Amino acid sequence: MYFVAEVNEKECAKYNCKQCVLFCPEPNCLNYKESDHTAWVWYDRCKGCEICVYVCSDLLKRHCIEMVMVKTGD
Amino acid sequence: MGLEYVKISPGFEKYMPRDYVDLVTFGQFGKQVDVMQLGQFKELVEEHPMCAGCYMAYFIRVFYAALPNPEDTIVLGTAGCARLALSQAAVPFIYGNYGDTNAVASGLKRALSIRFPDKVKDVVVIAGDGGLMDIGFGMTMHSWFRREKFTTIMVDNEVYGNTGGQESGMSPKGIQLKMAPKGKQFDKINAVELAQTAGCVYVARISPTNPKRIAKVIRRAILAAREFGPTFIHAYTSCNIEYSIPTREVLADARAREKKDFKFYEWMTDEVKEYLEEIERKEKEKAKQEVQK
Ligand SMILES: Cc1ncc(C[n+]2csc(CCOP(=O)(O)OP(=O)(O)O)c2C)c(N)n1
Ligand code: SF4
Ligand code: SF4
Ligand code: SF4
Ligand SMILES: [Mg+2]
């Protein structure tokens, strides 16, 4: 089990934003789907640092990212 | 390397690892990506073992996206945390003895300009505060005195992060670290002022709070080094482990330091200024024309 970020895509799509993607320290981890205007997390690459949560919740007050526990293979 | 070397020979696509195929198909080789497109193209740097929330790792991520010519770039690093990610990128990486980056880069840049007189080959050093301002200090300074034409980027976490928390010349005065329990007795070295005095033609100090600005500074430093001489970027890249910063607060810390002692600073000679303004003006025009098309 490990701790990763998960984007609530339905909420995120409301904003056309992308800010969290630009501040994640990991490459190709927090990505952006232009067609749906949503950020999405590649779980295997996420280290659970919560910098994206700081950006989305603390700075922007949008609250679209949650930290969740996943199992290998999820 | 060169663009031809990077491409997959026809018919071999199905035998190559998925990440490599993605790199060639959706990556930045042969084109100039905008750093604001991060998360929408395959990045040059891959998964690496730097700590969760490390902003040195973040800076390195932006660095690769900002390279003006990745297929013709060589990166040099040394012992310290940065090399853990630098060695996982699709750009040739040279790793020597601790602190020797700027001596090796000097020879390499000269050799490349003899071997490839008609081509631009960028040489970039990325090393820690210990590597550049303590143990490699003499080599750093002399590469600047000799006006060697490459870029030096100091990823300053104000500590020897990789070896568990010894103080460096860049640690702030008074700071207590695991292996500096009495608190540091001396001031932080003024690296930017040293670089200017020693002959760098472009110098910047930056805290990683704005990816667009980081990319601009990196690009400018690399372009200026091609024509005029040594360039230097002093980047604050916190070590959340040795400075006990909760990872969620890492960006907040970078923003706070930017307001305090890491205010954005950029200096260049008049001829560099003229040269960069001309390049940037042409790029803007080209972008405008493309939008109109
Ligand atoms: C000649 C030599 N002396 C000492 C070491 C041990 N060593 C490895 S990394 C390091 C310090 C790294 O500090 P810094 O350059 O600031 O990089 P950071 O890990 O903080 O990014 C030291 C002393 C070494 N590898 N080689
Ligand atoms: S910061 Fe929040 S709203 Fe903005 S792209 Fe990221 S998840 Fe979506
Ligand atoms: S928790 Fe950290 S590593 Fe994971 S997506 Fe968010 S910023 Fe990236
Ligand atoms: S020890 Fe510090 S500088 Fe090194 S990878 Fe970890 S957080 Fe980054
Ligand atoms: Mg250091």
Side-chain angles (χ1 to χ4, degrees), chain B residues 50-51 54 56 81 157 161 239-241:
Chain B
M50 291 180 81
C51 302
C54 176
M56 190 185 291
C81 290
N157 57 5
C239 175
N240 64 64
I241 297 291

Side-chain angles (χ1 to χ4, degrees), chain B residues 17 19 123 140 223 231 245 265:
Chain B
D19 278 318
V123 171
T140 305
L223 294 177
T231 59
I245 306 165
Y265 172 80

Side-chain angles (χ1 to χ4, degrees), chain B residues 56 78-83 95 97-98 127-132 135 155 157 159-163 166 168:
Chain B
M56 190 185 291
T78 194
C81 290
R83 50 83 197 246
Y95 179 76
N97 284 316
Y98 189 41
D129 43 314
L132 290 169
I135 302 191
V155 277
N157 57 5
V159 65
Y160 288 15
N162 206 202
T163 43
Q166 297 80 8
S168 86

Side-chain angles (χ1 to χ4, degrees), chain B residues 1 11 33 42 66 71 92-93 98 118 146 151 182 192 235 256-257 262 271 285:
Chain B
M1 283 206 297
V33 297
K42 175 71 174 167
E71 57 277 6
F93 173 64
Y98 189 41
D118 312 320
R146 293 193 306 269
T151 299
K182 282 169 67 184
V192 157
R257 291 297 295 272
F262 271 91
E271 54 176 5
E285 244 167 50

Side-chain angles (χ1 to χ4, degrees), chain B residues 204-239:
Chain B
R205 180 182 57 223
I206 192 163
S207 182
T209 60
N210 176 341
K212 210 168 178 160
R213 187 157 68 189
I214 305 171
K216 187 172 183 176
V217 161
I218 288 171
R219 223 178 115 71
R220 283 183 162 186
I222 292 176
L223 294 177
R226 284 180 187 172
E227 299 292 329
F228 301 103
T231 59
F232 176 61
I233 299 171
H234 177 193
Y236 173 58
T237 55
S238 66
C239 175

Side-chain angles (χ1 to χ4, degrees), chain B residues 91-213:
Chain B
V91 173
F93 173 64
I94 296 179
Y95 179 76
N97 284 316
Y98 189 41
D100 71 1
T101 48
N102 284 41
V104 177
S106 301
L108 181 68
K109 179 68 196 191
R110 291 184 193 195
L112 288 169
S113 47
I114 295 168
R115 172 66 181 81
F116 302 101
D118 312 320
K119 265 196 171 169
V120 177
K121 297 276 183 186
D122 296 319
V123 171
V124 186
V125 168
I126 305 193
D129 43 314
L132 290 169
M133 284 295 139
D134 291 352
I135 302 191
F137 185 73
M139 284 173 267
T140 305
M141 294 305 291
H142 276 270
S143 72
W144 293 344
F145 294 146
R146 293 193 306 269
R147 309 281 159 110
E148 305 285 353
K149 289 180 171 169
F150 64 86
T151 299
T152 304
I153 300 176
M154 176 163 66
V155 277
D156 179 14
N157 57 5
E158 313 188 297
V159 65
Y160 288 15
N162 206 202
T163 43
Q166 297 80 8
E167 73 176 44
S168 86
M170 299 304 295
S171 305
K173 188 174 182 177
I175 196 80
Q176 268 184 318
L177 295 159
K178 274 189 214 139
M179 303 215 202
K182 282 169 67 184
K184 190 182 173 198
Q185 311 280 313
F186 311 101
D187 285 320
K188 185 176 173 77
I189 298 171
N190 190 335
V192 157
E193 209 167 90
L194 274 177
Q196 251 168 269
T197 309
C200 288
V201 296
Y202 174 95
V203 174
R205 180 182 57 223
I206 192 163
S207 182
T209 60
N210 176 341
K212 210 168 178 160
R213 187 157 68 189

Side-chain angles (χ1 to χ4, degrees), chain B residues 241-265:
Chain B
I241 297 291
E242 295 305 335
Y243 276 79
S244 306
I245 306 165
T247 55
R248 184 163 169 165
E249 303 301 321
V250 161
L251 176 53
D253 166 74
R255 287 157 63 95
R257 291 297 295 272
E258 183 171 52
K259 291 207 181 86
K260 236 173 76 191
D261 51 344
F262 271 91
K263 284 197 185 72
F264 178 63
Y265 172 80

